[in-house]
Amino acid sequence: MKIGIIGCSINGAYLAWKLSERNEVTVFEKNKAIGEKPCSGLISERIWKFIPKNEDIVENTIEEALIYFPKKKLKLKLNPKMLVINRKLLDQTVTKFAEKNGAKILLDNEVKKVYFVRKTKPQLIADKIYEFDYLLGCDGFNSIVRKALTLKKPKYKLGIYAYKKKKDESKLVKVFPSKNGFAWIIPRGSRVEYGILDNVNIARERFDKFCRLRKFKPKQIYSHVIPEGLVKLEAERVALCGDALGLTKPTSGGGVIWGLTACNILLKNFPNLKKYNNDIRKFFGPKFFFSRLGNRFARFFGQKFPRILPKEMYFDSDIY
Ligand SMILES: Cc1cc2nc3c(=O)[nH]c(=O)nc-3n(C[C@H](O)[C@H](O)[C@H](O)COP(=O)(O)OP(=O)(O)OC[C@H]3O[C@@H](n4cnc5c(N)ncnc54)[C@H](O)[C@@H]3O)c2cc1C
């Protein structure tokens, strides 16, 4: 079968790797190189369930997160632990697996238009016109596939971060909740990352203040939109995955493990994409519900009734 994938970031590369075992796969990537997506790369050890273990892409291991509420510090003991992964190397590694299996990766090749006409195969225009049996949109928040299907954009926030050159191999992430988001400090071994996730209109101002208070003057700033909320889709020859589908955790904005989990659901059902779309809703619907609830609960008690919260608790970041 001929499969087209738009976007060669983590989800596009992973699906290309797996699907090219038995199919003819072409991946379109608008960037000139793999691994351009700004991302902190804080990903649980479950990543090794998806790709072979590779310590070369790990910068540090995080065992605890300290949440700074105004009148209380809550320690989360992370189980499983979180890895600070070099996201560029992760995407490049998975893309190499896809290429080894025979997937064609077309860099610097933006898809400009996608056509879905009922009962015909999906077509797209990039450097030329292509037709596929199945088309997978792994093209992130601004997905052209989602737009062509006239589906609504998920809600979104802005993530901004910068690095400070400083050796820090500590195993603790610091998190500072705000009304609609949070700020973070991640020790990355040879550098420290300062970041913020918040509403688009105030994120930059908050980030500048956060850095100023820590006497940090960033030289280069990275930022990107983070979607949140499952997009509903019913189609037979087309599917969305990862950020294009709004699959990031409401608590943290992390999307890699949820995205790859969705990829495995797709692979299990392929080529029955209608079933994939149903299974995704069944699997992630409750996760979104409980994650949002847990998020609100923790923020409410952390701000208003800090005494009710324990000092320390175990936390699985992939559930929420
Ligand atoms: C600041 C920030 C920090 C984050 N930190 C974490 C973290 O610590 N842990 C975690 O798990 N997640 C994190 N995330 C979320 C994570 O980055 C995303 O969930 C993940 O990258 C989604 O992968 P994806 O493959 O779905 O899409 P994306 O990574 O968004 O990639 C989409 C790809 O499609 C390509 N593309 C788009 N349109 C076209 C087109 N028309 N033609 C061709 N190519 C196209 C893009 O160039 C891109 O390569 C963070 C996100 C941000 C913004």
Side-chain angles (χ1 to χ4, degrees):
M1 271 179 286
K2 280 175 81 174
I3 301 166
I5 299 179
I6 308 181
C8 195
S9 184
I10 184 63
N11 292 304
Y14 182 77
L15 286 174
W17 169 31
K18 297 290 172 179
L19 287 168
S20 53
E21 280 165 9
R22 282 193 211 146
N23 302 278
E24 194 185 314
V25 177
T26 308
V27 190
F28 300 85
E29 172 51 55
K30 69 177 174 187
N31 289 329
K32 289 189 176 127
I34 300 293
E36 301 288 294
K37 171 73 186 273
C39 175
S40 305
L42 197 61
I43 301 168
S44 85
E45 289 177 318
R46 283 199 183 90
I47 188 72
W48 307 134
K49 290 192 169 179
F50 299 92
I51 65 161
K53 198 167 180 180
N54 177 1
E55 295 293 350
D56 294 348
I57 64 171
V58 180
E59 297 179 9
N60 195 9
T61 302
I62 304 295
E63 293 167 2
E64 294 172 340
L66 198 54
I67 317 283
Y68 286 79
F69 290 111
K71 289 185 183 158
K72 176 148 190 164
K73 282 183 216 158
L74 168 63
K75 190 183 270 181
L76 300 180
K77 290 182 157 281
L78 303 172
N79 185 19
K81 290 176 194 158
M82 303 289 282
L83 304 171
V84 184
I85 285 190
N86 182 317
R87 183 57 206 275
K88 193 186 198 91
L89 291 182
L90 172 68
D91 289 8
Q92 287 175 347
T93 304
V94 181
T95 303
K96 274 187 199 145
F97 294 151
E99 280 178 313
K100 256 194 175 167
N101 271 358
K104 259 190 246 157
I105 314 286
L106 307 180
L107 295 179
D108 197 11
N109 204 332
E110 181 172 0
V111 174
K112 298 185 186 80
K113 200 121 188 102
V114 183
Y115 295 101
F116 303 111
V117 180
R118 264 193 107 211
K119 303 215 165 139
T120 61
K121 292 181 181 177
Q123 291 186 333
L124 61 81
I125 302 177
D127 56 331
K128 58 179 189 176
I129 298 174
Y130 294 80
E131 184 178 89
F132 295 102
D133 296 310
Y134 296 94
L135 187 65
L136 308 177
C138 299
D139 45 348
F141 172 70
N142 275 317
S143 171
I144 192 172
V145 179
R146 198 186 57 234
K147 276 182 207 156
L149 291 162
T150 63
L151 296 168
K152 253 173 80 180
K153 248 185 195 179
K155 287 186 193 156
Y156 57 94
K157 292 199 171 138
L158 190 65
I160 307 179
Y161 64 89
Y163 301 125
K164 185 184 198 173
K165 259 199 178 170
K166 183 183 159 198
K167 196 169 177 199
D168 190 346
E169 290 172 344
S170 56
K171 306 295 170 203
L172 180 97
V173 160
K174 292 179 183 164
V175 180
F176 306 85
S178 62
K179 192 171 167 228
N180 299 301
F182 61 93
W184 66 83
I185 301 178
I186 304 176
R188 303 191 70 98
S190 60
R191 50 190 179 162
V192 179
E193 180 182 313
Y194 293 77
I196 201 157
L197 181 153
D198 218 310
N199 289 345
V200 175
N201 54 339
I202 50 167
R204 182 58 203 261
E205 198 187 310
R206 293 237 157 116
F207 176 72
D208 289 345
K209 190 174 168 197
F210 183 64
C211 294
R212 223 173 25 245
L213 287 173
R214 281 151 190 89
K215 298 191 171 52
F216 168 45
K217 283 188 194 155
K219 289 201 180 97
Q220 192 175 358
I221 289 172
Y222 304 87
S223 75
H224 203 278
V225 165
I226 302 182
E228 189 240 284
L230 201 53
V231 174
K232 283 185 190 139
L233 163 65
E234 279 181 32
E236 279 171 12
R237 288 186 179 269
V238 56
L240 297 169
C241 204
D243 278 20
L245 195 60
L247 270 186
T248 64
K249 295 176 273 187
T251 43
S252 66
V256 173
I257 295 291
W258 279 24
L260 290 173
T261 305
C263 287
N264 275 354
I265 296 176
L266 189 149
L267 293 167
K268 196 178 106 204
N269 285 302
F270 193 81
N272 190 343
L273 295 182
K274 222 172 177 177
K275 174 120 188 335
Y276 159 70
N277 288 318
N278 282 335
D279 283 4
I280 280 288
R281 273 205 292 278
K282 276 190 218 149
F283 186 82
F284 283 104
K287 274 183 173 274
F288 271 103
F289 177 78
F290 288 113
S291 182
R292 285 180 182 139
L293 198 69
N295 200 6
R296 279 197 203 138
F297 178 87
R299 279 168 189 277
F300 178 76
F301 286 101
Q303 306 278 352
K304 309 257 183 211
F305 305 102
R307 281 201 197 152
I308 290 180
L309 290 181
K311 274 192 180 158
E312 193 173 284
M313 60 190 271
Y314 281 91
F315 186 72
D316 181 342
S317 70
D318 295 328
I319 295 183
Y320 304 110

